[in-house]
Amino acid sequence: MATPMLQSAAELLETSEPALRLIISILIGYPLALVSRYCLFKKDAFLIHLFHTLTGLWIAYFNFGFQLFHSFICILVQFLFLRLMGRTVTAVGSSFLFQMGYLLTGYYYTATDYYDIKWTMPHCVLALKLIGLSLDYYDGGKDEGKLNAEQKVSALRHVPSFSEVCGFAYFYGGFLVGPQFTLRSYQRLVAGELTDCPGQPPNSIVPAIRRFSLGLVCLAIYTIGSPYLTDSYMLSDDYANQPFWYRCLYILIWGKVTLYKYVSCWLIAEGVCILSGLGYNGHDSAGVVLWDACANMKVWQYETTPLFTGTIASFNINTNAWVARQVFKRLKFLGNKMFSQAAALFFLAIWHGLHSGYVLCFSMEFLIVTVERQVEALIKDSPTLATLTQNLFLRPILYVVQQLIHWLFMGYPLVAFCLFTWEKWSKVYSSVYYCGHIFFLVLLFATPFLRRVLVPKKIKENKSQ
């Protein structure tokens, strides 16, 4: 699908043609959203589904050619599951096995040792949509009292039409990079309900421009910084010969800049969803209109939090919320919160791909979050540590130190995530003496000992009761 014009533009911008196609496709969502607002608002539902389906198929063809058939096959099979199997556990299990099996098979046959933009990239987004669709349809057959608050909002009481499923799956605002949203939200969009002005298109142009502009800023940071902070440099002899502090600092800065690649795409895509109305989320307690229903990033929290859990809560929000709702909470019957969390992270790892780097990355996330929670509880229960951290003079110093540790060890798991294979990520980790693994394992086993020393007996007894 290479074209001379796009190849020349990609060379001028010092990027790859598939990456340029991806950005163009996300940006095209803005004029498409304007068409939806001013030509299709409150029009016939079938016409809206058809518009979303055809534009999504065009985006798929523009990026992946006739490999768009992969998405169509999975959508068709999912629709048949809904129609033929109904609201059954068998239907849910079949949907999960088929959609994940198709995705993982695609990874097996297309994956390389480098990051490639192939049909499997949007397909991982689609797989979650279709699995979630089967679960929401299953929930629609339950009694209202057996559903939690989230399930009541997303449960489907009627089987959707094929045109509806296609429009939902191919919606231009979320087909390529997300965000995740439910069919119920899509139905409300088509019905013209997602607006702050009943009966009229939403006043969402300014909020959309804000997210778009913020996305461009993040894209500019990544575009300027990434040529100087490459993955391959960490595998070079020059990197290995640098001082230890330099290698660690490189991972910190490299990780920060690399993440802007994802942040920029999500922010720009979110702007499309806001412009279309899908981002409408009602009003807050003060009556201010909220446009964060499709937010994948809480940028201020992401940039300022010194906590790993804070970063995770502000990053790829809708995917994390999907996994929490459809995987973590549905494993409640296991009776073990930590096991459910581990299972959810393992699901996320294989959903990203079959490389060992993904499993290691999310294993590190599990370890880091576990340790951070232990340390937070220790500081809270220890009068000495609590007093120390609340000291007005020390707080700015502690914040800077905490941020340095935080971003170093945010970049640290990302090494495995971006380098994929054992041969590559093990080389980088060995060059920094596996400092991240050692640091958090030591804290994991040291924290219980420190609790015995620093936490008064009375507090420990109250905790155990």
Side-chain angles (χ1 to χ4, degrees), residues 135-302:
L135 287 163
D136 292 338
Y137 185 59
Y138 175 73
D139 290 339
K142 296 180 181 178
D143 292 335
E144 190 86 4
K146 294 182 178 180
L147 302 177
N148 61 37
E150 292 174 327
Q151 291 170 339
K152 288 177 182 178
V153 172
S154 60
L156 296 168
R157 297 300 178 184
H158 306 286
V159 63
S161 66
F162 184 61
S163 62
E164 198 169 26
V165 174
C166 286
F168 163 66
Y170 283 118
F171 175 68
Y172 52 84
F175 174 68
L176 286 175
V177 296
Q180 291 293 326
F181 52 89
T182 65
L183 181 59
R184 282 293 298 120
S185 294
Y186 174 76
Q187 289 172 336
R188 293 186 65 204
L189 173 71
V190 173
E193 297 174 9
L194 296 181
T195 175
D196 57 330
C197 304
Q200 299 178 23
N203 291 316
S204 57
I205 294 177
V206 173
I209 291 173
R210 287 177 185 154
R211 297 309 267 183
F212 171 73
S213 302
L214 194 54
L216 287 185
V217 171
C218 294
L219 182 62
I221 293 172
Y222 174 74
T223 303
I224 294 169
S226 59
Y228 303 99
L229 297 159
T230 63
D231 306 352
S232 58
Y233 178 70
M234 291 185 287
L235 301 171
S236 67
D237 292 336
D238 185 50
Y239 175 79
N241 292 328
Q242 296 293 338
F244 174 73
W245 67 265
Y246 180 92
R247 281 172 269 156
C248 289
L249 184 62
Y250 185 91
I251 290 175
L252 185 155
I253 301 173
W254 164 84
K256 182 71 171 173
V257 171
T258 297
L259 287 173
Y260 281 120
K261 173 173 62 178
Y262 306 100
V263 173
S264 60
C265 288
W266 291 333
L267 287 172
I268 295 172
E270 183 192 341
V272 174
C273 293
I274 292 172
L275 189 60
S276 70
L278 191 63
Y280 177 70
N281 199 23
H283 298 74
D284 64 13
S285 58
V288 178
V289 180
L290 300 174
W291 298 103
D292 58 357
C294 292
N296 246 349
M297 289 296 304
K298 295 178 181 177
V299 179
W300 179 254
Q301 179 179 336
Y302 173 78

Side-chain angles (χ1 to χ4, degrees), residues 22-37 51-52 55 58-59 171-174 176 208 212 268-269 271-276:
L22 175 65
I23 291 296
I24 291 172
S25 300
I26 296 174
L27 292 173
I28 282 174
Y30 284 89
L32 293 177
L34 290 174
V35 172
S36 294
R37 288 171 57 91
F51 176 75
H52 292 159
T55 52
W58 180 85
I59 289 171
F171 175 68
Y172 52 84
L176 286 175
F212 171 73
I268 295 172
V272 174
C273 293
I274 292 172
L275 189 60
S276 70

Side-chain angles (χ1 to χ4, degrees), residues 297-318:
M297 289 296 304
K298 295 178 181 177
V299 179
W300 179 254
Q301 179 179 336
Y302 173 78
E303 295 292 350
T304 60
T305 180
L307 301 175
F308 294 98
T309 49
T311 299
I312 293 168
S314 64
F315 185 84
N316 203 3
I317 297 168
N318 276 284

Side-chain angles (χ1 to χ4, degrees), residues 406-458:
H406 165 227
W407 280 111
L408 170 60
F409 293 118
M410 279 300 298
Y412 189 85
L414 197 64
V415 169
F417 187 92
C418 292
L419 296 184
F420 299 144
T421 63
W422 182 87
E423 293 80 6
K424 291 182 178 179
W425 55 254
S426 63
K427 182 176 181 180
V428 178
Y429 286 145
S430 62
S431 72
V432 291
Y433 313 114
Y434 287 89
C435 62
H437 296 76
I438 295 171
F439 179 76
F440 286 102
L441 285 172
V442 168
L443 280 178
L444 180 68
F445 292 106
T447 306
F449 171 77
L450 291 173
R451 283 192 69 84
R452 288 196 293 270
V453 176
L454 296 173
V455 177
K457 186 177 180 181
K458 186 176 180 179

